[in-house]
Amino acid sequence: MNSVLSRYKRLASIGAIAVAGTILLSSCAANEAGTTDPSAAASDLAGTIDGSGASSQGSAQEAWVAAFQTENPDVTINYDPSGSGAGREAFISGGVSFAGTDSALKQDEIDGGFAACVPDTGYIQVPAYISPIAVIFNVEGVDALNLDAPTIAGIFKGTITTWNDPAIAALNADATLPSAPITAVHRSDDSGTTKNFTDYLNKVAPEIWDAPAADPFPYQVGEAAQGTSGVVDAVTNGTNTIGYADASKAGDLGVAAIKVGDEFVDYSPEAAAAVVAGSPAGDTASDTDLVISLDRKTTDPTHYPLVLVSYIITCTEFVDAEVAPVVKAYVQYITSDAGQSEAASSAGAAPLSTDLSAKVATALESIK
Amino acid sequence: MTTTSTRKPRSTLRPADRIFAGSTVIAGSLILAALAAVAVFLIAESIPALIVDPAELKGAPSSFWAYVGPLAFGTVWAAFLALVMALPISIGIALFISHFAPRRIAQGLGYIIDLLAAVPSVVFGLWGIKVLAPAVTPLYGWLVQNLGFLPFFAGGVSGTGRTILTVAIVLAVMIIPIITAVTREVFLQTPRLHEEAALALGATRWEMIQMAVIPFGRPGMISAAMLGLGRALGETMVVAMVLSPALVINFVLTGSQNPSTIAGNIALNFPEANGVDVNALIATGMILFVITLVINSIARIVINRRKAFSGAN
């Protein structure tokens, strides 16, 4: 009795510490770099660089780091997927040599300067990771589904509640839609996927989706699940469900075609790359800042506007000149064909278009 | 005889004794220091979230308390539901092991129960998502259809089964081993004389348990329940993985909108949080710290008050 009872009592108080400890540790657990392969081809590059930022790039960064370190055995790259906001803050304060972010730098952030860069030498901001977002569904007897932005907005906002709602039926004349209630699944954790999904709905169907784009899901309706895999799992195991997730994780689930212009466009990496290539430059754009203002309202049926674009931010001239060649080579690798196809195979990203890739390469040449 | 009684006990300590005594003192004070450090960390890091304009917090709640309220409610509600399910089952298992099962089966069952305590919570979480949630979805549909007049089953039914009731079932499975282990030990401590006296007076075995075992074991059962509740309150992974959370306060067991728990909410939102939102999450952690502290204190008070009978002294 004594030993058992006191053991559990002690466990309870240890538990409190363990919870706090887990919180602390979980923030830095993912930045452990892969081991280098000493037998790989030698290169002149050496040194350690740190990056942090968007967790959307996390799995792609892992693959990039592993591949780059295999090529360059003396290089160590750490990427901490601590979130876009935290990554930008860390870069601004000089804590990291490069940052990944789902949201481009704001003007006041640029005006404030960057501690890691030589003052007044500018910065680099290039798209590195394009991830299409798929609207996935699991509805009995329905294999293909056509949806437009107002309908998707209605479904996820809870104003369209059954599958045979006239709004859905009007878009799917051929499908036999059940009269079952819709279970819409969104992310329960903060996510760049949610931000881009809600940005699309807010831009294309603002009369229904009146909440601005944000990492947390804005409305208190529908179901929530943790992470992309959680949403996919909930949609798969539930009945008459719909959700949104990185397209690469959709698996065998049905993926809705999105109305663009007058046609319904199925997700494809090419269509996702096309909308990025076809979108105008953003407000802060320059030769070294290739920010894109995504054209969510595109009417070109070769475009798939529901995509997430994640950037790499770094310096043109570093205060610590030793990191410059490593950062340059690494970002060049990321945005190269090899790096992009690595991200496509490991994280399901859509590759940068040839045109954009060339512009990025030019911008990266200015790193000294 | 006389020589042994007049010999004084050795008062000088050998170095090994000193070292051993010193190291146990260090070990003992280390846990206190760690606890104090956690408390200081929680309070210090919470302050920015408590004094900041609540509009700057994520979701712009009217105050920090409006943000933490639903979470604190969900924490206690989920743990309470788990306890309601786990306690009768645990006591049943404990009684079976201590008083009904043949010795060999009792031993084996005891080992299995202890083994259940060693299963990591993330495994329970996966089981909750992959097996339990899909399995209970039809049952929830039936409950809502037929018992919808009860407030617990009001409104629409969840299409995925990821409700607070599912979470509570998983939590119940997780705390059963703790409650069973403690109550089993308490029941085994029932004085043999009490039991034999009851049987001698003509009681059936069930009456004997009612008259002798349960009254003797009640304080132990209460403290066991408190310990199980403590574990359920702090459980993180299962809630984060299984629950479909929302910032609401309601008693609906089968709906899509479920109150989240503090620990689950921290796990979900910490990875992407920055700035004052981190402080807000740590502040909710402090609230959880206080809740668990209160629960554990109550358990300790109950144990201490009845320790003469419970065998927990």
Side-chain angles (χ1 to χ4, degrees), chain A residues 102-103 191-200 213-216 244 296:
Chain A
D102 296 342
S103 323
S191 159
T193 310
T194 301
K195 182 167 188 173
N196 280 273
F197 181 71
T198 54
D199 183 50
Y200 166 73
D215 281 349
Y244 58 89
R296 306 277 190 197

Side-chain angles (χ1 to χ4, degrees), chain A residues 27 32 75 86 107 111 116 143 158 200 211 216 225 228 232 283-284 325 349:
Chain A
S27 61
E32 284 150 21
V75 171
Q107 189 62 50
D111 295 342
D143 297 325
Y200 166 73
T228 296
V232 171
D283 297 334
T284 61

Side-chain angles (χ1 to χ4, degrees), chain A residues 1-2 4-5 7-10 12-14 16-17 19-20 23-24 26-27 53-56 81-86 89 102 181 183 185-186 188-192 215-216 219-227 229-231 233-235 237-241, chain B residues 31 34-35 38 41 58 114 117 129-130 134 137 157-162 177-178 181-182 185-186 189 223-224 227 234 236-237 240-241 243-248 255-257 266-275 288-289 292 296 300 303 310-313:
Chain A
M1 176 63 211
N2 244 335
V4 172
L5 189 59
R7 195 167 81 222
Y8 285 116
K9 280 190 292 190
R10 210 146 293 161
S13 41
I14 292 171
I17 298 162
V19 166
I23 296 163
L24 283 173
S26 63
S27 61
S55 52
S56 59
S82 52
S84 298
E89 270 177 29
D102 296 342
T183 300
V185 185
H186 58 80
S188 60
D189 49 340
D190 290 0
S191 159
D215 281 349
Y219 302 114
Q220 296 285 349
V221 292
E223 302 225 353
Q226 182 194 15
S229 51
V231 171
D233 213 76
V235 171
N237 291 332
T239 46
N240 301 311
T241 46
Chain B
I31 187 74
L35 202 65
V38 169
F41 153 79
K58 203 185 75 180
D114 287 343
I129 291 180
K130 295 278 184 190
T137 308
V157 64
S158 160
T160 61
R162 294 160 171 254
I178 294 175
V182 176
E185 295 297 320
V186 175
Q189 301 239 333
S223 51
L227 295 169
T236 307
M237 212 53 217
M241 290 172 80
L243 191 68
S244 160
L247 272 185
V248 294
S256 296
Q257 302 277 303
I266 293 174
L268 283 177
N269 291 318
F270 188 77
E272 289 278 329
N274 64 314
L288 179 62
F289 191 71
T292 37
N296 277 314
R300 194 153 291 235
I303 296 163
S310 72
N313 43 343

Side-chain angles (χ1 to χ4, degrees), chain A residues 137-159:
Chain A
F137 65 91
N138 177 16
V139 185
E140 275 168 46
V142 181
D143 297 325
L145 195 63
N146 295 331
L147 293 172
D148 58 8
T151 315
I152 298 174
I155 290 172
F156 280 92
K157 202 185 170 184
T159 54

Side-chain angles (χ1 to χ4, degrees), chain B:
Chain B
M1 276 304 281
T2 47
T3 49
T4 50
S5 62
T6 53
R7 200 160 80 191
K8 281 184 182 172
R10 289 170 61 114
S11 58
T12 49
L13 285 169
R14 278 177 291 181
D17 286 331
R18 284 178 197 281
I19 292 168
F20 181 71
S23 56
T24 54
V25 168
I26 290 171
S29 41
L30 212 59
I31 187 74
L32 283 178
L35 202 65
V38 169
V40 168
F41 153 79
L42 284 174
I43 293 167
E45 290 288 307
S46 300
I47 290 169
L50 299 175
I51 56 173
V52 78
D53 177 15
E56 284 183 33
L57 295 175
K58 203 185 75 180
S62 58
S63 73
F64 171 74
W65 304 107
Y67 172 67
V68 77
L71 298 173
F73 166 78
T75 307
V76 176
W77 178 228
F80 170 76
L81 286 172
L83 188 64
V84 165
M85 284 184 272
L87 193 57
I89 296 173
S90 301
I91 291 173
I93 298 171
L95 280 177
F96 178 72
I97 291 175
S98 63
H99 285 84
F100 286 92
R103 177 171 271 277
R104 195 174 290 170
I105 295 178
Q107 236 169 18
L109 201 60
Y111 285 135
I112 292 172
I113 296 287
D114 287 343
L115 202 66
L116 206 58
V119 176
S121 60
V122 67
V123 174
F124 279 115
L126 285 173
W127 173 75
I129 291 180
K130 295 278 184 190
V131 180
L132 187 64
V136 293
T137 308
L139 173 70
Y140 289 174
W142 183 88
L143 283 173
V144 170
Q145 218 159 35
N146 295 287
L147 297 171
F149 57 88
L150 291 172
F152 299 128
F153 307 113
V157 64
S158 160
T160 61
R162 294 160 171 254
T163 74
I164 197 149
L165 183 56
T166 312
V167 170
I169 293 172
V170 181
L171 290 179
V173 175
M174 291 178 65
I175 64 176
I176 279 174
I178 294 175
I179 303 179
T180 305
V182 176
T183 47
R184 180 187 62 198
E185 295 297 320
V186 175
F187 291 155
L188 283 174
Q189 301 239 333
T190 314
R192 198 94 193 122
L193 271 176
H194 293 196
E195 294 178 14
E196 281 170 5
L199 291 172
L201 288 171
T204 63
R205 191 176 290 191
W206 165 234
E207 283 166 339
M208 179 271 283
I209 285 170
Q210 268 184 306
M211 290 157 65
V213 180
I214 300 277
F216 178 82
R218 187 168 295 134
M221 281 153 58
I222 295 171
S223 51
M226 290 295 194
L227 295 169
L229 192 66
R231 170 152 197 210
L233 284 171
E235 178 49 40
T236 307
M237 212 53 217
V238 164
V239 181
M241 290 172 80
V242 178
L243 191 68
S244 160
L247 272 185
V248 294
I249 295 183
N250 65 34
F251 290 94
V252 178
L253 298 178
T254 53
S256 296
Q257 302 277 303
N258 301 285
S260 186
T261 75
I262 291 175
N265 184 62
I266 293 174
L268 283 177
N269 291 318
F270 188 77
E272 289 278 329
N274 64 314
V276 75
D277 285 335
V278 174
N279 298 110
L281 289 177
I282 294 172
T284 63
M286 185 179 67
I287 305 291
L288 179 62
F289 191 71
V290 170
I291 293 174
T292 37
L293 209 66
V294 168
I295 300 271
N296 277 314
S297 307
I298 293 172
R300 194 153 291 235
I301 289 167
V302 171
I303 296 163
N304 282 349
R305 187 187 292 166
R306 313 291 281 272
K307 68 178 165 189
F309 310 105
S310 72
N313 43 343

Side-chain angles (χ1 to χ4, degrees), chain A residues 259-277:
Chain A
K259 191 173 192 184
V260 181
D262 296 326
E263 287 183 45
F264 291 96
V265 179
D266 279 312
Y267 144 73
S268 70
E270 296 75 27
V275 73
V276 176

